[in-house]
């Protein structure tokens, strides 16, 4: 390859050691490459290092590498790497070869992987594994990504909590220092402070709010790190945790200043509940602390009488609420709460708070009980499945005939024949309808269709009119129904829930016509009672040990019989209901009950004696046969939802399934109709972690 004059001058400046293969790198060299071709300079550097150089075809351009004084070969090589990086290229060392490639390609070809502190430095691309000891490796990705060259990469391995970073060796040394400074043990200082005068549940939130200013109060230097303040109602203590000892001392100083004896006149306390119902909890607490109230309250015997009355009321309420028998499906689920008054514990439903009038020792006991009872209750998602399969088979065969003996000159006419059934299925009614029209046999025949199935008739003309001489009817029918209903609902633990899906049907309960009045105005009227007809599900669920769910269930499936919808006595309803108390594991399916029915009926209308003749006897009888099989099963599956994540998972799953169904039922495109589209729910918004 022809070298430029400038490159030749640089090689002369390097001396004879740059022109021949080297056996040692101790002799210094002077670099003087100005706007020289990258390929030529790279090969000269390879001669200095006594290594073969492979240049990627995409590496093109000029480079400048100079030094004012002789440098060791290693320092000269680092200067070359820095100049090469400025041009967007990098060197990858692999199996004794130096590969000059674009910077974006270097991370894929580098063969240098280190796990501990690397001795390499400069602008050489390597891969280093960092083991995170105290924090989560995923947290470092967002922290270190801006510090890494855009063409290089950083990845976290959650399985062993490590970071894998590919970048220049010089930058990896800086990143190693950052990781060592940030990856330190978390908050390890824990202190339990026993309170003497205050209530832990009341003082804990105040201390947590003041924790940022705690260092200044205690006179210690300001520190950073997480602070936790937990209340222990059992021992009336605060559990403090901080990232440093100074912060922990500051928190203890705040607690000591706030834990002071209360004023002797402050016997009224207001407690805002987080989860429990104030009216219900007030009744329970009055009953539980009635003996203590009689010994510690100073309001006299009149106050004690109110407490006793409240305790009796609580007993009655608990006995009603704890019954296992479910109420009627149309009863209200729960009445609106009214303020609970009387006694030393009162409830304010509007703010869901308790007003406690008690001395400090009794208040501490009450507050400890409140903290245990005022916890977030789990929810239960209950899915009920009603499966109904009906199969009916029916068959009918019959022969009817009528014959009149004699002619028009006969003085006596003789007739003989058979007839079965009602309406148009009867040969006599059919004959009358044929001769004189449907109105000749009344309005019922006019609305009655011809017999279903195969009909073979023989018409006979009498007196100029055709009549039915014989009628044979054959019918075989088969019907089936498969119904699946899945009413489901969500309710709090030990709370009743109800869902009704159906119609509100009117039922006539009375009427007045005033038909005997003369000369006065007639005001007829009817009284109507409306009832829900459809699917009704009422459930009270209670979570037990091991996520076992105990449920009191009332499930009803009713429908109006179509043939009785216009009856004067009101419609008739078909009803299947299940009322029981069961225990089911979380997520398991249990069959509540069902009906398996197999009915068979047959009937024969025949002429005595003649119907018994083999073969010929079929001309003198009508046979029917039917079979009905009904399978009805009710299944139940509860799922315990202990946090919002579980509730979101169930809700989003149902939301996405309904939205997908809407998208699949869009109207088809038409040349004559506009594309109006069908409503589709918006995409669900995922909760950010």
């Amino acid at each position: 390859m022809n070298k430029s004059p400038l490159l030749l001058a640089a090689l002369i400046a390097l001396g004879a050691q740059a022109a021949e293969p080297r056996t040692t790198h101790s002799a210094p060299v002077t670099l003087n490459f100005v706007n020289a071709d990258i390929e030529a300079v790279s090969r000269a550097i390879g001669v200095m290092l006594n290594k073969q150089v492979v240049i990627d075809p995409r590496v093109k351009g000029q480079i400048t590498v100079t030094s004012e004084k002789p440098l060791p070969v290693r320092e000269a090589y680092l200067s070359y790497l820095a100049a090469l990086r400025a041009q967007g290229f990098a060197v990858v060392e692999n199996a004794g070869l130096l590969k000059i490639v674009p910077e974006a390609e270097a991370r894929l070809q580098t063969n240098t992987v280190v796990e501990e502190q690397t001795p390499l430095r400069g602008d050489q691309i390597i891969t280093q594994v960092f083991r995170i000891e105290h924090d989560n490796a995923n947290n470092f990705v967002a922290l270190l990504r801006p510090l890494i060259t855009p063409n290089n990469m950083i990845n976290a391995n959650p399985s062993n909590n490590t970071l894998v970073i590919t970048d220049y060796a010089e930058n990896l040394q800086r990143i190693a220092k950052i990781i060592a400074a940030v990856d330190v043990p978390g908050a390890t200082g824990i202190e339990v402070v026993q309170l003497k005068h205050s209530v832990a549940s009341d003082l804990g939130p105040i201390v947590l709010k003041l924790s940022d200013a705690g260092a200044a109060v205690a006179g210690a230097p300001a520190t950073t790190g997480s602070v936790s303040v937990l209340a222990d109602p059992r021992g009336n203590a605060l559990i403090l945790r901080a990232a440093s000892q100074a912060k922990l001392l500051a928190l203890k100083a705040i607690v000591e200043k706030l834990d002071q004896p209360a004023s002797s006149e402050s016997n009224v306390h207001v407690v805002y509940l987080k989860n429990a119902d104030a009216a219900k909890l007030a009744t329970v607490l009055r009953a539980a602390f009635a003996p203590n109230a009689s010994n510690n309250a100073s309001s006299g015997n009149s106050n004690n009488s109110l407490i006793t009355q409240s305790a009796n009321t609580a007993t009655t309420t608990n006995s009603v609420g704890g019954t296992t028998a479910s109420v009627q499906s149309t009863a209200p689920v729960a009445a609106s709460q009214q303020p609970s008054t009387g006694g030393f514990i009162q409830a304010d439903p509007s703010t869901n708070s308790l007003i406690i009038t008690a001395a400090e020792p009794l208040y501490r006991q009450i507050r400890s009980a409140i903290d245990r009872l005022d916890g977030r209750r789990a929810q239960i998602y209950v899915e009920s499945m009603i499966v109904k399969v009906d199969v009916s088979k029916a068959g009918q065969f019959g022969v009817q005939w009528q014959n009149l003996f004699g002619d028009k000159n006969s003085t006596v006419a003789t007739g003989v024949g058979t007839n079965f059934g009602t309406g148009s299925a009867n040969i006599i009614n059919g004959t009358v309808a044929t001769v004189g029209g449907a109105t000749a046999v009344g309005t019922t025949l006019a609305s009655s269709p011809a017999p279903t199935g195969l009909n073979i008739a023989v018409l006979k003309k009498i007196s100029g009119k055709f009549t039915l001489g014989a009628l044979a009817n054959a019918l075989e029918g088969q019907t089936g129904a498969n119904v699946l209903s899945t009413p489901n609902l969500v309710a709090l633990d030990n709370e009743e829930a109800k869902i009704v899906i159906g119609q509100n049907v009117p039922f006539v309960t009375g009427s007045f016509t005033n038909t005997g009045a003369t000369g006065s105005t007639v005001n007829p009227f009817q009284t109507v009672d409306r009832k829900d007809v459809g699917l009704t599900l009422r459930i009270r669920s209670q979570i037990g040990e091991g996520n076992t769910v105990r449920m009191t269930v009332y499930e009803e499936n009713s429908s109006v019989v179509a043939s009785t919808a216009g009856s004067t006595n009101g419609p008739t309803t078909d009803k299947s209901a299940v009322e029981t108390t069961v225990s089911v594991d979380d997520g398991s399916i249990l069959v509540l009950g069902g009906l398996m029915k197999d009915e068979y009926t047959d009937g024969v209308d025949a002429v005595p004696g003649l119907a018994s003749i083999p073969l010929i006897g079929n001309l003198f009888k009508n046979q029917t046969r039917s079979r009905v099989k009904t399978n009805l099963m009710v299944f139940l599956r509860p799922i315990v939802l202990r946090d919002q994540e579980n509730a979101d998972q169930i809700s989003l799953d149902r939301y996405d399934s309904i939205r997908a169904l809407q998208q699949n039922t869009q109207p088809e495109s038409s040349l004559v109709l506009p594309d109006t589209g069908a409503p589709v729910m918006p995409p669900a918004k995922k909760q950010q972690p």
Side-chain angles (χ1 to χ4, degrees):
M1 178 179 179
N2 296 328
K3 298 180 175 62
S4 63
L6 189 59
L7 178 58
L8 292 174
L11 291 175
I12 294 173
L14 289 174
Q17 293 179 351
E20 297 179 359
R22 288 184 167 276
T23 59
T24 177
H25 305 305
S26 59
V29 295
T30 301
L31 301 179
N32 189 18
F33 299 100
V34 179
N35 293 331
D37 184 71
I38 292 179
E39 183 176 355
V41 176
S42 300
R43 297 191 183 280
I45 295 297
V47 172
M48 288 188 298
L49 298 176
N50 195 22
K51 291 185 178 181
Q52 186 176 356
V53 177
V54 178
I55 302 175
D56 191 282
R58 292 169 290 182
V59 178
K60 302 291 183 181
Q62 295 178 336
I63 189 174
T64 298
V65 185
T66 61
S67 62
E68 298 180 357
K69 59 182 179 178
L71 299 174
V73 175
R74 180 64 182 173
E75 296 295 334
Y77 177 62
L78 295 178
S79 299
Y80 162 73
L81 293 179
L84 200 63
R85 177 180 178 181
Q87 299 294 327
F89 306 116
V91 176
V92 176
E93 187 172 356
N94 190 355
L97 298 178
L98 296 180
K99 299 180 181 180
I100 293 85
V101 296
E103 186 182 67
E105 190 74 17
R107 67 179 184 180
L108 302 178
Q109 299 189 22
T110 181
N111 195 35
T112 305
V113 180
V114 294
E115 295 186 6
E116 303 296 337
Q117 185 68 27
T118 173
L120 301 177
R121 62 186 182 90
D123 297 302
Q124 181 179 355
I125 291 183
I126 62 175
T127 298
Q128 186 168 352
V129 180
F130 297 91
R131 188 174 301 277
I132 308 302
E133 299 292 342
H134 306 288
D135 204 345
N136 191 339
N138 290 320
N139 298 336
F140 284 84
V141 175
L143 176 65
L144 301 177
R145 178 69 265 184
L147 305 178
I148 298 175
T149 309
N151 288 329
N152 293 323
M153 64 179 184
I154 175 173
N155 290 314
N157 184 12
S159 61
N160 57 2
N161 203 38
T162 56
L163 288 174
V164 180
I165 304 177
T166 300
D167 203 0
Y168 292 97
E170 196 73 27
N171 194 33
L172 287 177
Q173 292 182 355
R174 180 182 64 154
I175 291 176
K177 295 179 181 179
I178 296 176
I179 294 177
V182 176
D183 186 26
V184 295
T188 57
I190 297 179
E191 187 77 17
V192 179
V193 180
Q194 188 73 35
L195 301 181
K196 300 178 181 179
H197 308 287
S198 303
V199 178
S201 301
D202 294 338
L203 193 60
I206 300 176
V207 175
L208 187 60
K209 290 182 180 179
L210 297 175
S211 60
D212 293 338
V217 174
T223 59
T224 59
S226 60
V227 174
S228 300
V229 179
L230 301 177
D232 182 13
R234 297 173 299 176
N236 193 34
L238 288 179
I239 303 174
L240 309 178
R241 187 182 68 174
S244 63
Q245 189 67 23
K247 192 69 174 178
L248 193 59
L249 293 175
L251 291 176
K252 292 180 62 177
I254 296 176
V255 174
E256 292 176 358
K257 290 189 175 183
L258 295 178
D259 186 22
Q260 300 297 329
S263 175
S264 58
E265 299 178 356
S266 59
N267 290 333
V268 180
H269 309 271
V270 178
V271 180
Y272 294 94
L273 302 180
K274 300 176 181 178
N275 301 285
D277 184 85
K280 295 180 179 179
L281 187 57
T283 305
V284 174
L285 293 175
R286 282 197 297 265
F289 289 92
N292 292 334
S294 62
N295 296 330
N296 295 280
S298 59
S299 56
N301 295 331
S302 60
N303 196 20
N304 291 338
S305 63
L306 289 176
I307 296 172
T308 304
Q309 182 179 0
S310 301
N312 294 334
T313 303
T315 303
T316 304
T317 303
N318 291 338
S319 63
V320 174
T323 179
T324 58
S326 62
V327 298
Q328 296 179 354
S329 61
T330 56
V333 175
S336 59
Q337 295 290 344
Q338 299 296 326
S340 176
T341 60
F344 66 103
I345 301 177
Q346 303 182 23
D348 180 19
S350 60
T351 58
N352 197 38
S353 60
L354 296 176
I355 304 173
I356 303 173
T357 305
E360 191 67 23
L362 178 59
Y363 171 68
R364 292 185 183 180
Q365 298 179 20
I366 297 174
R367 187 55 195 270
S368 177
I370 292 175
D371 292 337
R372 297 184 183 184
L373 296 175
D374 187 27
R376 177 173 178 175
R377 289 188 291 173
Q379 300 183 103
I380 304 175
Y381 171 80
V382 181
E383 183 178 17
S384 176
M385 293 174 285
I386 304 174
V387 184
K388 184 178 182 181
V389 180
D390 291 336
V391 178
S392 300
K393 295 182 179 180
Q396 178 181 340
F397 180 80
V399 177
Q400 306 175 61
W401 53 272
Q402 297 288 330
N403 189 42
L404 186 63
F405 298 96
D407 54 20
K408 61 181 180 178
N409 297 321
S410 300
T411 57
V412 177
T414 302
V416 64
T418 61
N419 67 95
F420 309 105
T422 59
S424 296
N426 189 288
I427 189 172
I428 295 179
N429 292 338
T431 300
V432 175
T434 304
V435 175
T439 57
V441 292
T443 57
T444 57
L445 183 59
S447 60
S448 177
T452 57
L454 177 63
N455 296 301
I456 301 176
V458 177
L459 301 180
K460 185 176 181 181
K461 192 173 184 180
I462 299 176
S463 300
K465 295 184 178 181
F466 285 98
T467 62
L468 288 175
L471 176 63
N473 174 253
L475 171 66
E476 181 178 354
Q478 181 173 344
T479 59
N482 189 342
V483 180
L484 174 63
S485 302
T486 58
N488 51 77
L489 47 83
V490 178
L492 282 174
D493 180 25
N494 205 26
E495 292 290 343
E496 184 178 343
K498 169 185 175 183
I499 183 173
V500 177
I501 305 173
Q503 297 176 326
N504 194 258
V505 180
F507 291 83
V508 178
T509 58
S511 63
F512 177 74
T513 59
N514 196 18
T515 56
T518 57
S520 60
T521 304
V522 178
N523 296 316
F525 67 88
Q526 290 181 334
T527 57
V528 177
D529 183 18
R530 290 186 172 271
K531 296 183 179 180
D532 293 332
V533 176
L535 285 175
T536 300
L537 177 62
R538 294 175 63 89
I539 294 181
R540 180 187 294 273
S541 305
Q542 182 178 5
I543 303 175
E545 183 180 1
N547 277 357
T548 300
V549 183
R550 182 178 183 271
M551 292 180 293
T552 299
V553 185
Y554 177 83
E555 187 162 23
E556 177 184 310
N557 184 18
S558 58
S559 61
V560 176
V561 179
S563 60
T564 63
S567 175
T568 57
N569 295 326
T572 301
T573 59
D574 285 336
K575 176 180 176 181
S576 57
V578 175
E579 183 174 3
T580 183
T581 300
V582 296
S583 179
V584 193
D585 289 340
D586 178 21
S588 300
I589 298 179
L590 179 68
V591 57
L592 295 184
L595 170 66
M596 300 183 67
K597 181 173 63 174
D598 193 350
E599 296 179 309
Y600 173 79
T601 58
D602 62 350
V604 177
D605 294 331
V607 177
L610 298 178
S612 302
I613 303 175
L615 296 179
I616 301 177
N618 291 323
L619 301 177
F620 300 94
K621 59 184 176 181
N622 183 64
Q623 305 174 74
T624 60
R625 183 178 298 172
S626 65
R627 184 176 183 180
V628 179
K629 297 183 67 175
T630 301
N631 294 280
L632 173 64
M633 289 292 171
V634 181
F635 299 90
L636 198 68
R637 181 168 70 114
I639 299 177
V640 178
L641 309 177
R642 294 198 175 274
D643 50 29
Q644 189 59 41
E645 182 180 357
N646 294 337
D648 291 341
Q649 184 178 0
I650 291 290
S651 301
L652 292 177
D653 179 68
R654 298 298 183 268
Y655 190 96
D656 292 341
S657 63
I658 291 296
R659 186 171 183 271
L661 183 62
Q662 288 182 329
Q663 292 175 332
N664 294 332
T665 55
Q666 292 293 313
E668 298 181 358
S669 58
S670 174
L671 297 177
V672 296
L673 295 177
D675 186 8
T676 58
V680 178
M681 295 189 301
K685 295 182 180 180
K686 309 295 183 181
Q687 294 290 339
Q688 297 295 332

